[in-house]
Amino acid sequence: MRLHLLLLLALCGTGTTAAALSYSLRGNWSICNGNGSLELPGAVPGCVHSALFQQGLIQDSYYRFNDLNYRWISLDNWTYSKEFKIPFEISKWQKVNLILEGVDTISKILFNEVTIGETDNMFNRYSFDITNVVRDVNSIELRFQSAVLYAAQQSKAHTRYPVPPDCPPLVQKGECHVNFVRKEQCSFSWDWGPSFPTQGIWKDVRIEAYNICHLNDFTFSPIYDKSAQAWNLEIEATFDVVSSKPVGGQVIVAIPKLQTQQMYNLELQPGKRIVELFLNISKNITVETWWPHGHGNQTGYNMTILFELDGGLNIEKSAKVYFRTVELIEEPIKGSPGLSFYFKINGFPIFLKGSNWIPADSFQDRVTSELLRLLLQSVVDANMNTLRVWGGGIYEQDEFYELCDELGIMVWQDFMFACALYPTDQGFLDSVRAEVAYQIKRLKSHPSIIIWSGNNENEEALMMNWYHISITDRPIYIKDYVTLYVENIRELVLAGDKSRPFITSSPTNGAETVAEGWVSQNPNSNYFGDVHFYDYISDCWNWKVFPRARFASEYGYQSWPSFSTLEKVSSTEDWSFSSKFSLHRQHHEGGNKQMLYQAGLHFKLPKSTDPLRTFKDTIYLTQVMQAQCVKTETEFYRRSRSEIVDQQGHTMGALYWQLNDIWQAPSWASLEYGGKWKMLHYFAQNFFAPLLPVGFENENTFYIYGVSDLHSDYSMTLTVRVHTWSSLEPVCSCVTEHLVMKGGEAVRLYEEPVSQLLRRCGNCTRESCVVSFYLSADHELLSPTNYHFLSSLKEAVGLCKAQITAIISQQGDIFVFDLETSAVAPFVWLDVGSIPGRFSDNGFLMTEKTRTILFYPWEPTSKTLKASKIIYTNIRKTGYGKREMATGQ
């Protein structure tokens, strides 16, 4: 047996013994189903599905229709068990605890055949006193109950009134009553994900033994004192004092790089005790603050805290401390009713640009450190600064938040309640309170988290009457809503974390929601708070369909993942847009038709005598449609940051739905399952650029706005070029006089009637020409080159099949693609199949004869790419360009 033995607390003084020992129970356990007919080894952390797969008893759960085929796993009651010998003498320890960092979800725990407790919340940490039952050789059992069956029982027992929704829509192929169990809500299915209600021990489990006293928790919050113009640090340490007498001593807190060290005396009485410390940092010391990505450095300071206690007991902790302030500004706006809704970080207004994060896998044991870093690095590589951790998933693992701290990714953190009403019986509330208190304590020290939000869309669900509740019954549900999110969750946040704001829901009207008694008549108002907006029927190229809101925290369009991603979980008979597999994988009602409808507004739909060719072309076209739609909408939000039009505007956030995928299926994601970039993610790299020209039409006049996230003003010029589809030489080009682009603003840089533009450029027509434009200074490009289509591409005149060739070379680990085209080509798409990595740009409009693109592999590869097989794709009026896969050799 491999020992996982950790000396937690240092020795101090001759002849003393270690103050605490920890013995991990990670590793191999035995797993058994409900009737004992199936027994197998399984890893902890892990789940039953993963154990069955690792033993070859089931296929990959994501393969074809296995989400339905393996439904039996979630409906069984499984038992995890283990026998082990503790590698130290138990009798020498005053207190021994069993610590479970994460149990999924409903279980009874037996230690040496004695029931020591139960679990009912996936998001809580559990500690059980086993001092009187532990021996040298021990057995432990976790007897799980199916979360699906438990949820049904809880719902049935709630007889006073129904708590909707009962079940997800049929198209989601999910389980019912997920709102009655404190578990990852999307594990029962969602409109982008499968139903895999897992069972298992999904985080660490260990034995802790200690004498005298033990440090259970350690948290801190940097606070800026405006009046004193100085930083302070509020530190909270929670102890379990098992000594029969008070324990005295001193505490030394040190932050060496800030030349800060303070000493405190303390005395701990027996029992559970909380120590609160206040560390003052001299205002004569320069403290470098933590900034979001694109706005400054993510400076952190190493801090140590040493408790020197009676009996030679030393307890030492170390942590990284970051200093930053965050304010949610809700104040009147001149020329507009309502209130603003934006964030100031370190006193500077920041436009939040990014996406929404969902769990990276249905099986959390498959979410590795490497995968988290890949996904989060892709966030900053696309010029994002914010992720919203959505309320239907999980509170992410520690490493997620540590990476966000390191990379400068701001986190909008939902509590895990989504798209449902919830019960408020005392047992449920007690479980939620324990969950919330624990998560606040665990996460509050991370500077990346800038706001707590009580839930996802539940205020809107209630007030927009998604569940058809009668007007006479609505007060009952409003009371429950306020009880859960205001009287419990909000109360705990205000008590446990004063360093960041809290809102009850998303979307919400913020301060207006509070004024209306915690629920607004229209939670999706453009004049307050944040909005969620989806419209699959209106033409997404028409920016006028989008809401000129204060903050857009959800919006988006679906697409299919690439064929190389789908191929791994499908068979040849599935490779059709109308196949049983394609219909099964689509969990959004009408989603496949909506994609084709939206694409058909501006592009010819694929037609080929080869069904596989049609399928691949359709996949490509859905990605083109999604990327262009989200580009148009995001650019609208970004250019609306500084103006009020028809009493609406001052938009200060754009978080599209969604960043990542949980499996291989059509969804709103810009990153496919495993991290491959869709066309949308390449577009995001440009439309979230810190300096961006945005073109659009209004009343037959063409405008270009300059959008800046920078802190300083810049002098620059705007270059506007017009190409015909049939020529690589621009038919006209103009460069403006020097412009001063104000930092942190969106301003109009250019306007010209379209008819005048067309006449000026060699008698262009809307159908025959395309406009491109960029910002530069001293001949140096400061922004991406953006473009504006003057007509739908299916109506384009002169758009022909471009002959694109590539010479591929290798420089170190990077592949260089030197491209040459015979004609203007829109949406040029490069693909290296299943080789993991990303291009420097993709899905681009190629208006010049040559262009160099880089490919960055995510891991060392011995493969070379054959130039003759570079994939290139461009849309033309009559169909699709040649598309072949670049193969690794």
Side-chain angles (χ1 to χ4, degrees):
M1 177 185 294
R2 183 180 175 186
L3 299 184
H4 302 273
L5 184 61
L6 176 66
L7 181 66
L8 286 183
L9 308 176
L11 302 180
C12 183
T14 304
T16 61
T17 58
L21 288 175
S22 176
Y23 175 61
S24 176
L25 298 181
R26 282 172 170 258
N28 289 330
W29 286 54
S30 179
I31 302 176
C32 182
N33 69 340
N35 64 13
S37 62
L38 182 59
E39 188 169 347
L40 66 151
V44 169
C47 68
V48 174
H49 286 80
S50 294
L52 290 167
F53 176 69
Q54 288 156 8
Q55 293 302 310
L57 297 173
I58 62 172
Q59 296 175 303
D60 180 356
S61 294
Y62 287 166
Y63 183 70
R64 300 195 77 207
F65 308 100
N66 281 343
D67 54 321
L68 298 184
N69 296 336
Y70 297 155
R71 185 168 176 255
W72 61 270
I73 299 171
S74 300
L75 297 177
D76 208 337
N77 299 319
W78 298 82
T79 295
Y80 273 64
S81 62
K82 184 181 184 73
E83 292 187 356
F84 62 96
K85 182 178 181 180
I86 293 182
F88 50 84
E89 195 173 332
I90 285 295
S91 61
K92 292 185 177 181
W93 302 94
Q94 292 172 278
K95 185 77 171 282
V96 185
N97 288 333
L98 173 68
I99 309 295
L100 295 134
E101 294 288 349
V103 178
D104 180 15
T105 296
I106 310 302
S107 77
K108 177 187 290 187
I109 304 170
L110 285 79
F111 199 92
N112 291 331
E113 300 183 354
V114 176
T115 301
I116 59 169
E118 297 180 345
T119 69
D120 66 357
N121 192 317
M122 180 182 182
F123 309 122
N124 201 3
R125 179 178 66 186
Y126 289 91
S127 177
F128 300 103
D129 185 350
I130 58 172
T131 308
N132 296 326
V133 295
V134 68
R135 302 190 292 258
D136 290 338
V137 179
N138 303 274
S139 67
I140 181 173
E141 279 188 359
L142 273 72
R143 296 178 181 174
F144 285 91
Q145 180 184 0
S146 162
V148 177
L149 301 181
Y150 172 85
Q153 291 170 2
Q154 295 300 114
S155 175
K156 187 176 181 180
H158 195 281
T159 56
R160 290 175 295 153
Y161 49 89
V163 183
D166 287 338
C167 300
L170 291 177
V171 69
Q172 294 181 18
K173 309 162 189 71
E175 304 292 355
C176 300
H177 309 297
V178 68
N179 50 340
F180 277 89
V181 59
R182 291 309 300 143
K183 176 176 172 59
E184 179 183 16
Q185 300 290 276
C186 67
S187 68
F188 277 42
S189 79
W190 218 263
D191 57 2
W192 38 255
S195 175
F196 284 112
T198 47
Q199 292 179 44
I201 304 171
W202 73 294
K203 291 190 176 183
D204 190 35
V205 53
R206 64 186 182 275
I207 306 291
E208 284 187 352
Y210 50 91
N211 293 324
I212 305 174
C213 74
H214 184 252
L215 179 63
N216 289 337
D217 291 298
F218 168 73
T219 63
F220 53 88
S221 296
I223 305 294
Y224 185 70
D225 186 335
K226 288 185 178 179
S227 59
Q229 294 187 326
W231 285 97
N232 304 301
L233 199 63
E234 294 181 353
I235 300 170
E236 182 179 290
T238 305
F239 286 90
D240 181 18
V241 182
V242 295
S243 170
S244 59
K245 299 177 181 179
V247 178
Q250 61 185 19
V251 190
I252 302 168
V253 182
I255 307 178
K257 283 197 174 180
L258 294 180
Q259 303 171 39
T260 299
Q261 179 170 307
Q262 285 182 226
M263 182 181 295
Y264 312 79
N265 294 320
L266 80 161
E267 184 174 81
L268 300 172
Q269 297 297 322
K272 297 288 193 298
R273 293 291 175 254
I274 296 175
V275 174
E276 295 179 341
L277 306 173
F278 198 73
L279 179 70
N280 298 298
I281 297 171
S282 171
K283 66 180 180 181
N284 297 321
I285 300 293
T286 300
V287 177
E288 292 188 30
T289 50
W290 180 94
W291 285 95
H293 174 68
H295 291 273
N297 297 325
Q298 292 76 49
T299 304
Y301 297 91
N302 293 323
M303 175 181 69
T304 60
I305 179 167
L306 174 63
F307 295 87
E308 296 181 334
L309 304 175
D310 294 345
L313 173 59
N314 280 12
I315 302 175
E316 186 171 6
K317 294 287 288 185
S318 61
K320 181 83 78 173
V321 181
Y322 300 87
F323 295 86
R324 68 100 183 90
T325 62
V326 56
E327 303 167 85
L328 174 58
I329 307 300
E330 297 180 90
E331 60 188 12
I333 299 173
K334 184 178 179 181
S336 175
L339 300 171
S340 65
F341 190 91
Y342 69 94
F343 292 85
K344 281 186 177 180
I345 305 296
N346 303 322
F348 187 83
I350 303 276
F351 188 102
L352 272 59
K353 50 186 185 179
S355 190
N356 286 259
W357 173 274
I358 66 167
D361 205 297
S362 296
F363 313 106
Q364 281 297 307
D365 53 298
R366 304 206 301 207
V367 181
T368 63
S369 299
E370 293 75 19
L371 178 59
L372 280 179
R373 181 168 283 280
L374 187 157
L375 295 174
L376 293 176
Q377 186 63 51
S378 293
V379 170
V380 296
D381 286 347
N383 287 311
M384 301 182 191
N385 61 28
T386 305
L387 286 177
R388 174 172 171 251
V389 177
W390 168 75
I394 62 171
Y395 307 95
E396 278 296 333
Q397 55 185 276
D398 292 340
E399 189 169 4
F400 172 89
Y401 299 99
E402 291 163 4
L403 285 168
C404 288
D405 295 343
E406 173 191 324
L407 295 170
I409 301 170
M410 293 180 285
V411 173
W412 173 313
Q413 179 66 56
D414 281 1
F415 287 98
M416 293 300 123
F417 303 86
C419 298
L421 306 183
Y422 287 85
T424 57
D425 56 87
Q426 196 56 51
F428 188 87
L429 290 177
D430 288 346
S431 182
V432 167
R433 288 184 66 87
E435 162 196 330
V436 170
Y438 168 62
Q439 294 297 340
I440 292 171
K441 194 175 293 186
R442 181 173 78 94
L443 299 176
K444 65 185 283 190
S445 300
H446 290 284
S448 53
I449 300 175
I450 62 166
I451 188 170
W452 299 105
S453 175
N455 64 71
N456 172 76
E457 298 185 346
N458 295 349
E459 180 185 352
E460 183 178 23
L462 178 58
M463 300 310 290
M464 297 294 101
N465 205 15
W466 289 5
Y467 308 121
H468 311 292
I469 296 167
S470 69
I471 292 295
T472 55
D473 289 338
R474 185 180 291 183
I476 298 171
Y477 295 94
I478 292 176
K479 183 177 184 297
D480 280 357
Y481 182 92
V482 173
T483 296
L484 179 56
Y485 301 111
V486 180
E487 296 173 1
N488 283 275
I489 294 177
R490 178 176 179 271
E491 175 192 288
L492 289 165
V493 172
L494 296 182
D497 183 13
K498 301 178 179 65
S499 67
R500 51 181 63 83
F502 170 84
I503 55 175
T504 50
S505 186
S506 175
T508 186
N509 287 346
E512 175 63 17
T513 287
V514 177
E516 292 184 43
W518 301 107
V519 287
S520 284
Q521 290 303 309
N522 176 19
N524 231 350
S525 169
N526 289 347
Y527 300 105
F528 303 94
D530 65 317
V531 303
H532 296 184
F533 178 80
Y534 297 96
D535 181 352
Y536 310 114
I537 303 303
S538 301
D539 181 358
C540 76
W541 287 27
N542 176 13
W543 58 267
K544 294 183 179 181
V545 306
F546 306 128
R548 200 180 291 271
R550 306 299 192 213
F551 193 110
S553 53
E554 275 194 32
Y555 60 96
Y557 295 83
Q558 280 198 324
S559 72
W560 274 78
S562 62
F563 181 75
S564 62
T565 294
L566 287 171
E567 189 177 19
K568 300 169 187 174
V569 292
S570 58
S571 64
T572 54
E573 65 207 82
D574 301 325
W575 299 339
S576 156
F577 208 65
S578 58
S579 70
K580 183 180 177 183
F581 172 82
S582 293
L583 296 174
H584 173 79
R585 220 67 172 184
Q586 175 59 268
H587 282 199
H588 169 59
E589 188 70 53
N592 289 347
K593 291 181 179 179
Q594 290 168 355
M595 281 185 272
L596 294 183
Y597 170 77
Q598 195 65 235
L601 294 176
H602 298 285
F603 306 100
K604 287 183 67 69
L605 298 182
K607 290 181 180 179
S608 171
T609 55
D610 179 359
L612 180 58
R613 173 83 283 131
T614 299
F615 185 50
K616 290 181 177 180
D617 286 346
T618 303
I619 288 172
Y620 162 76
L621 188 59
T622 67
Q623 291 206 18
V624 171
M625 176 276 298
Q626 179 196 39
Q628 187 66 21
C629 287
V630 176
K631 172 185 186 292
T632 305
E633 187 166 358
T634 304
E635 290 182 347
F636 168 72
Y637 295 137
R638 290 198 68 192
R639 68 177 168 84
S640 297
R641 68 175 292 168
S642 301
E643 65 182 8
I644 295 294
V645 177
D646 296 330
Q647 299 188 316
Q648 298 180 8
H650 277 211
T651 307
M652 283 297 287
L655 308 178
Y656 66 77
W657 184 269
Q658 66 208 67
L659 178 76
N660 54 312
D661 263 334
I662 200 170
W663 70 334
Q664 306 92 333
S667 77
W668 295 256
S670 63
L671 296 177
E672 298 179 6
Y673 177 76
K676 185 176 182 178
W677 288 29
K678 286 184 180 178
M679 193 178 293
L680 170 55
H681 210 79
Y682 287 103
F683 274 41
Q685 187 176 225
N686 291 328
F687 63 60
F688 280 143
L691 199 60
L692 180 71
V694 175
F696 66 98
E697 290 182 47
N698 190 24
E699 304 298 331
N700 290 314
T701 297
F702 177 56
Y703 297 89
I704 298 176
Y705 275 38
V707 181
S708 172
D709 290 328
L710 306 177
H711 291 218
S712 304
D713 300 347
Y714 273 82
S715 176
M716 61 191 69
T717 58
L718 171 70
T719 300
V720 182
R721 290 177 175 174
V722 177
H723 283 81
T724 62
W725 287 116
S726 57
S727 173
L728 290 167
E729 292 297 324
V731 291
C732 66
S733 178
C734 72
V735 181
T736 65
E737 299 290 329
H738 277 274
L739 308 164
V740 176
M741 186 67 232
K742 290 284 188 180
E745 291 189 12
V747 296
R748 185 184 305 174
L749 303 179
Y750 175 95
E751 66 177 282
E752 184 175 9
V754 174
S755 57
Q756 179 179 310
L757 173 68
L758 296 175
R759 284 195 306 272
R760 183 169 60 80
C761 295
N763 292 317
C764 266
T765 66
R766 282 185 170 275
E767 293 76 20
S768 66
C769 290
V770 59
V771 186
S772 62
F773 39 93
Y774 59 87
L775 298 168
S776 61
D778 300 323
H779 305 290
E780 181 180 345
L781 198 64
L782 295 180
S783 75
T785 299
N786 209 341
Y787 58 84
H788 177 71
F789 297 132
L790 295 165
S791 74
S792 296
L793 266 67
K794 67 180 181 181
E795 298 167 353
V797 173
L799 180 58
C800 59
K801 178 179 179 180
Q803 301 297 324
I804 303 176
T805 59
I807 298 174
I808 306 174
S809 58
Q810 196 165 353
Q811 297 178 0
D813 292 332
I814 299 172
F815 292 93
V816 181
F817 290 70
D818 290 312
L819 305 179
E820 184 172 321
T821 183
S822 62
V824 174
F827 305 110
V828 176
W829 184 244
L830 310 177
D831 198 339
V832 292
S834 58
I835 300 174
R838 71 169 182 88
F839 290 92
S840 55
D841 196 8
N842 214 345
F844 46 84
L845 173 68
M846 197 165 178
T847 57
E848 297 180 332
K849 187 174 182 63
T850 62
R851 182 163 183 177
T852 298
I853 300 293
L854 305 179
F855 177 73
Y856 305 98
W858 285 329
E859 55 193 42
T861 177
S862 59
K863 295 181 178 180
T864 57
L865 301 177
K866 294 179 68 174
S868 62
K869 294 228 176 168
I870 174 66
I871 180 171
Y872 60 90
T873 305
N874 63 282
I875 291 178
R876 51 196 173 87
K877 184 179 178 183
T878 57
Y880 292 79
K882 181 182 177 185
R883 305 179 68 229
E884 293 182 20
M885 188 69 68
T887 57
Q889 299 292 323

